[in-house]
Amino acid sequence: MLGGAGILLGVAAVPAQAAEVSYKTECIPPAASGLDPVEGTTKVEITAPATAKVGDEIEVVWKFVQAASKNPDLIVLPKDSVKPTGTLKASGAQTADIAMEGPQENPEIPKGGDMVLSDMTGKVKLTAAGDVTLTPDAYTITAYSTDTKCTPQEAVPAAATIKVTAAEGGSTTSGGSTSGGTTTSGGTATGGDTGGTTSGGSTTGGGTTSGGTTSGGSTSGGSTSGGGDGQTDFAGKTVATSFACTSPGPAKIDSTATINAKKNGGSYDLTVKTAEGVMNSPAPLPAGALKPSMVITVGGDDSGSLKVEGPANKDALNTGDPVSLGDMTGTYKPGADGKATLSPGDLTIVVTLSAGADPITIPCKATKTAVSLELDVQKQAGGVSGATTSGSGSSSGSSSGSSSSSSSGGLAETGANDHGGLRALGFVAGTAILLGGAVFVFLPHRRMR
């Protein structure tokens, strides 16, 4: 039933009725956010056939005249990024919970703007003659796989009544059940298997490497000679890493990284590779939304650190597209003679949702790392020893067609009382991460590029 027209499936259409009701509503953000519930008023219009017969399956429309929410003054919600689901209660001659669902369709919602939700529809098979009343109940707003659950805080008046008559030649049945099923909570993207989650890297099959990890120490199989044998290319080994991100980031990200080097005079051009498809795009995302960088820790006979940077995502992404972090590049200039080790360090993701928008910086501290590459080096003037350098990082590294990205959006601030918006939410291990308005759905890694 669309545009207020009643649809009676299996028989000819009958006159429709539409009625509006309003009710006080409490909306609760996900538990992981730690935010308090907020209150507002929901206004709903229910459209249903005025009459029907036992055995008919009818379709009902739930139209949001006013949702108990506003978009917080944090970020613009892009077009087609919000999806509603809910429950419509049938009572009277027949009792049922009718599952209602709307498409993920909405106009762009500005900061502080009213939430605009699509119409929800649901079906129910009528099983008993008599008056069947329809009353709106709880609903869920899903923004980038993160749910805000809203429930009535007062008795809600019935919004429509269907007069159901016995089918011709048949008998009525008392009670009965509906094929509409029970309320769905609104889909949440689980991001696939429950293995380790990644940002800028990956885990193998969701597992972790056995045994302890080293920080700055050398590992076998990860070193090559950088001396006078004419070798210019040095391949590092893939090592497991873990990151602890500060709020509003996730509690933990498990990843892998590989550091490769190419000798350039007395210095080394570094390329840090992570994994393909470390996350799925939760919504349509613009090109250039996300840019990664990492600190490389120098150990052994040299000491200090340097920064490598990767490119922002080159292409726009559709909902569900795999996303990869581009190769991060930089330059290592030795500050001492001897053997130097290079290990992945802290990761930073900078999100810029639109031209001119303030960037969102998400720092993630490396809590588990290991040496990826060992080089025989000679001290250079202005070398890294004992210092932190920029690494002369460039963004020329390429990324695959499923380049890294962040999602725009912010979960709806709920309630007219303005208790504060639903802001940064974090979920890990195959769930959504809403990072100050940017959402990432992390999956177990695919493969190293």
Side-chain angles (χ1 to χ4, degrees):
M1 179 188 313
L2 300 175
I7 297 177
L8 180 59
L9 302 182
V11 298
V14 297
Q17 56 178 329
E20 179 181 314
V21 296
S22 63
Y23 53 97
K24 294 179 181 179
T25 308
E26 181 182 63
C27 294
I28 300 177
S33 70
L35 298 176
D36 294 332
V38 289
E39 295 181 352
T41 299
T42 299
K43 294 182 180 180
V44 170
E45 182 181 277
I46 301 297
T47 304
T51 62
K53 294 180 180 180
V54 172
D56 290 340
E57 184 178 57
I58 63 167
E59 186 173 72
V60 184
V61 174
W62 171 322
K63 178 181 179 64
F64 285 96
V65 178
Q66 175 184 298
S69 64
K70 286 185 179 295
N71 188 29
D73 294 325
L74 296 176
I75 204 160
V76 174
L77 282 170
K79 185 177 183 292
D80 299 340
S81 61
V82 180
K83 178 182 176 69
T85 54
T87 300
L88 184 67
K89 288 190 172 292
S91 59
Q94 178 178 341
T95 301
D97 286 348
I98 306 171
M100 307 294 291
E101 182 175 357
Q104 187 170 305
E105 295 176 357
N106 59 275
E108 182 178 277
I109 303 175
K111 297 177 182 179
D114 292 337
M115 290 295 294
V116 180
L117 303 176
S118 63
D119 294 350
M120 301 193 295
T121 60
K123 297 176 183 178
V124 61
K125 186 172 183 178
L126 301 173
T127 60
D131 288 350
V132 176
T133 59
L134 302 176
T135 305
D137 195 52
Y139 62 93
T140 297
I141 302 172
T142 300
Y144 308 120
S145 305
T146 307
D147 292 343
T148 300
K149 297 182 181 295
C150 301
T151 55
Q153 297 302 296
E154 62 180 343
V156 182
T161 300
I162 306 171
K163 292 188 176 297
V164 183
T165 58
E168 293 180 3
S171 59
T172 63
T173 59
S174 61
S177 61
T178 174
S179 62
T182 58
T183 302
T184 59
S185 63
T188 57
T190 59
D193 298 334
T194 57
T197 61
T198 71
S199 172
S202 63
T203 63
T204 302
T208 57
T209 56
S210 61
T213 60
T214 62
S215 175
S218 63
T219 60
S220 61
S223 64
T224 56
S225 172
D229 58 359
Q231 183 178 356
T232 58
D233 294 321
F234 307 94
K237 73 172 185 176
T238 300
V239 296
T241 58
S242 292
F243 300 94
C245 301
T246 60
S247 178
K252 182 181 181 182
I253 297 175
D254 294 316
S255 178
T256 63
T258 306
I259 303 174
N260 298 322
K262 184 177 182 66
K263 193 170 185 180
N264 183 1
S267 299
Y268 296 85
D269 295 331
L270 304 183
T271 300
V272 180
K273 292 181 175 290
T274 56
E276 286 186 345
V278 296
M279 61 186 98
N280 278 351
S281 174
L285 303 175
L290 180 148
K291 185 178 177 67
S293 64
M294 181 181 285
V295 172
I296 301 301
T297 302
V298 180
D301 293 324
D302 203 355
S303 63
S305 62
L306 59 99
K307 182 180 180 181
V308 293
E309 295 179 318
N313 54 300
K314 180 177 63 176
D315 301 318
L317 298 166
N318 295 317
T319 301
D321 284 352
V323 178
S324 302
L325 295 177
D327 294 347
M328 292 173 277
T329 59
T331 301
Y332 165 50
K333 180 181 289 188
D337 295 327
K339 290 186 180 293
T341 60
L342 303 178
S343 306
D346 297 346
L347 175 71
T348 299
I349 300 173
V350 176
V351 180
T352 305
L353 298 169
S354 61
D358 293 335
I360 302 167
T361 301
I362 304 163
C364 300
K365 182 177 179 59
T367 57
K368 175 182 178 181
T369 186
V371 172
S372 176
L373 183 63
E374 184 177 272
L375 298 169
D376 290 332
V377 298
Q378 294 180 335
K379 181 177 181 178
Q380 304 295 309
V384 76
S385 186
T388 299
T389 71
S390 66
S392 302
S394 73
S395 59
S396 60
S398 63
S399 62
S400 67
S402 56
S403 308
S404 316
S405 178
S406 79
S407 79
S408 61
L411 203 59
E413 178 181 80
T414 47
N417 293 341
D418 195 24
H419 295 237
L422 303 184
R423 293 184 172 85
L425 308 173
F427 298 99
V428 191
T431 60
I433 300 172
L434 177 56
L435 303 171
V439 181
F440 306 93
V441 178
F442 287 90
L443 299 175
H445 84 291
R446 302 300 197 271
R447 61 185 183 278
M448 292 302 298
R449 289 171 290 132

